[in-house]
């Protein structure tokens, strides 16, 4: 059981990284990765929302949509729930944890439409359908791992971009082109983790 | 019919629930806005320079609204802002305006360069590597770190020497922090004599290094009718509170490092 959870967690970070292997959440990956500290703030907020969203959408899907045969409502309902959840979290943070709100505040509204969050909640359910042993607990661990994977990708890339600033880049490649080239190289490097988790724990 | 109604009911129901929940949450957990602080923040210049000692304008506005700080700490805003803030808060505010002074008049001509420095063209880097570019290790390096941080264009560089224009200076103290030699100090904005040298070397060493350095001879001390000048560590200093800007010390100084600081009201 425990080994299984650990392998799900590690796989979500390394081999199934949502940004670098599944190409979800590319907009914040390119948009908010100019500085390491903002990248960190964004990733922590995303991780938080991913776990929370999965915690709510999984029971909603399993106990409300499936019994009524309404699986096709998944997308629209999940978007609705995630948006409301993010708003709610923002209000709560503002009131009770102002320090955290000041740190994450700017990023929370951005996450409402983050495809990585929607992707995690939907892919987790897809996986549960093909593999009955993949239940609620496994889904939560997977969501947390996906968030940490997002954090790893963001931090790596922000570090690279901070160094890029000081490099002498050919004029035609400056700005977005070199960013996209380096993003693809980081993604390719993550292919090197293929089979690592199975080899470690399997 | 049911296969249309049920999904509609579910989506609408969850939407309604979420909407109501958010509405209730925003009322129950509303954060009371500090109207006084917001009003004060509107009046402050918004330079976020930190001269008041708080973390930016919003920090100062908060402290003002809670009565923890006095109006008039805002140097860039000056008297006008202090007045306006005091009116909003309903207290009286006295302002002491300040301006920065570079305490060195030894430019390239007075203190010849003894080091051929070709590194990074900033004072901070030069201070780390060579200590000083002339024989005087206290003097202005002349790369203009202070001029770069000044948001009001009050600092000019001439002949390897920085000088502050008191008419433009808002006393925000950014340059004070930027100078690696600690040459820049804030002084009350009034007419006064200022010793524009920071050398703590013995007189003989100062004479060798710079034509205009203070050697601590004490002639100004004897010339001053109010006893406002003291010599410590081979270096004269004027107490701005006692100085009446009579100019006796300026004419007495054999080195020409005391100047009259002319202040024009902002």
């Amino acid at each position: 059981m425990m080994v299984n959870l650990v392998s799900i967690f590690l796989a979500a970070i390394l081999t199934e990284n949502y940004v670098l292997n599944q190409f979800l959440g590319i907009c914040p990956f390119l948009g908010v990765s100019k500085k390491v500290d903002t990248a960190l703030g964004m990733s922590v907020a995303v991780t938080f929302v991913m776990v929370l969203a999965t915690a709510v959408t999984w029971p909603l899907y399993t106990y409300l949509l499936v019994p009524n045969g309404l699986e096709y409502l998944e997308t629209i309902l999940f978007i609705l729930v995630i948006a409301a959840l993010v708003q709610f979290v923002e209000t709560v943070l503002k009131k009770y944890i102002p320090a955290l709100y000041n740190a994450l505040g700017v990023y929370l509204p951005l996450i409402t439409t983050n495809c990585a969050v929607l992707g995690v909640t939907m892919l987790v359910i897809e996986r549960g359908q093909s593999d009955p042993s993949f239940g609620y607990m496994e889904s939560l661990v997977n969501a947390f791992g996906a968030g940490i994977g997002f954090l790893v990708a963001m931090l790596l890339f922000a570090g690279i971009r901070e160094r890029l600033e000081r490099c002498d880049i050919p004029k035609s490649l400056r700005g977005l082109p070199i960013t996209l080239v380096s993003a693809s190289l980081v993604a390719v490097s993550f292919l090197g983790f293929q089979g690592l988790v199975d080899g470690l724990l399997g | 019919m049911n296969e249309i109604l049920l999904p509609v009911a579910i989506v609408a129901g969850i939407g309604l629930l979420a909407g109501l929940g958010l509405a209730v949450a925003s009322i129950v957990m509303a954060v009371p806005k500090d109207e006084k602080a917001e009003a004060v923040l509107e009046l402050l210049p918004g330079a976020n320079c930190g001269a008041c000692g708080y973390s930016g304008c919003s920090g100062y506005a908060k402290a003002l609204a809670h009565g923890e700080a006095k109006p008039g700490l805002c140097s860039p805003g000056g008297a006008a802002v202090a007045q306006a803030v005091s009116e909003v808060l309903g207290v009286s505010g006295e302002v002491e305006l300040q301006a920065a002074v570079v305490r060195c008049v030894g430019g390239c001509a007075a203190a010849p360069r003894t080091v051929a420095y070709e590194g990074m063209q900033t004072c901070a880097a030069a201070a780390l590597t060579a200590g000083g570019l002339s024989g005087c290790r206290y003097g202005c390096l002349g790369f203009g770190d202070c001029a770069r941080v000044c948001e009001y264009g009050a600092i000019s560089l001439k002949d390897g020497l920085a000088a502050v224009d008191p008419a433009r200076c808002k006393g925000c103290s950014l340059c004070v922090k930027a100078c690696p030699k600690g040459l820049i100090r804030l002084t009350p904005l009034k007419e006064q004599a200022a010793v524009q040298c920071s050398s703590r070397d013995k007189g003989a060493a100062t004479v060798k290094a710079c034509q205009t350095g203070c050697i601590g001879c004490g002639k100004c001390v004897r010339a001053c009718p109010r006893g406002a000048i003291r010599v410590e560590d081979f270096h004269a200093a004027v107490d701005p509170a006692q100085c009446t800007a009579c100019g006796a010390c300026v004419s007495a100084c054999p080195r020409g490092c005391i100047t009259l600081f002319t202040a024009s009201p902002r």
Side-chain angles (χ1 to χ4, degrees), chain B residues 74-161:
Chain B
C74 181
S75 292
V81 165
Q83 184 87 41
V85 169
S86 326
E87 271 169 27
V88 169
L89 297 173
V91 293
S92 65
E94 284 285 307
V95 215
E96 191 186 48
L97 290 176
Q98 290 192 312
V101 182
V102 181
R103 294 178 312 151
C104 177
V105 283
C108 291
R113 296 281 148 111
T114 53
V115 179
Y117 176 76
E118 290 184 356
M120 263 174 86
Q121 300 293 301
T122 65
C123 303
L128 281 177
T129 50
L133 302 183
S134 67
C136 174
R137 60 199 166 99
Y138 298 96
C140 178
L141 296 163
F143 291 113
D145 282 14
C146 48
R148 271 191 289 279
V149 295
C150 183
E151 294 184 8
Y152 309 101
I155 303 184
S156 55
L157 290 166
K158 202 180 165 194
D159 192 25
L161 188 67

Side-chain angles (χ1 to χ4, degrees), chain A residues 169-190:
Chain A
I169 300 159
K171 206 177 173 190
S172 54
L173 283 176
R174 266 176 218 171
L176 206 53
I178 193 73
T179 309
L180 289 172
V181 170
S182 10
S184 65
L185 288 177
V186 175
V188 168
S189 75
F190 257 66

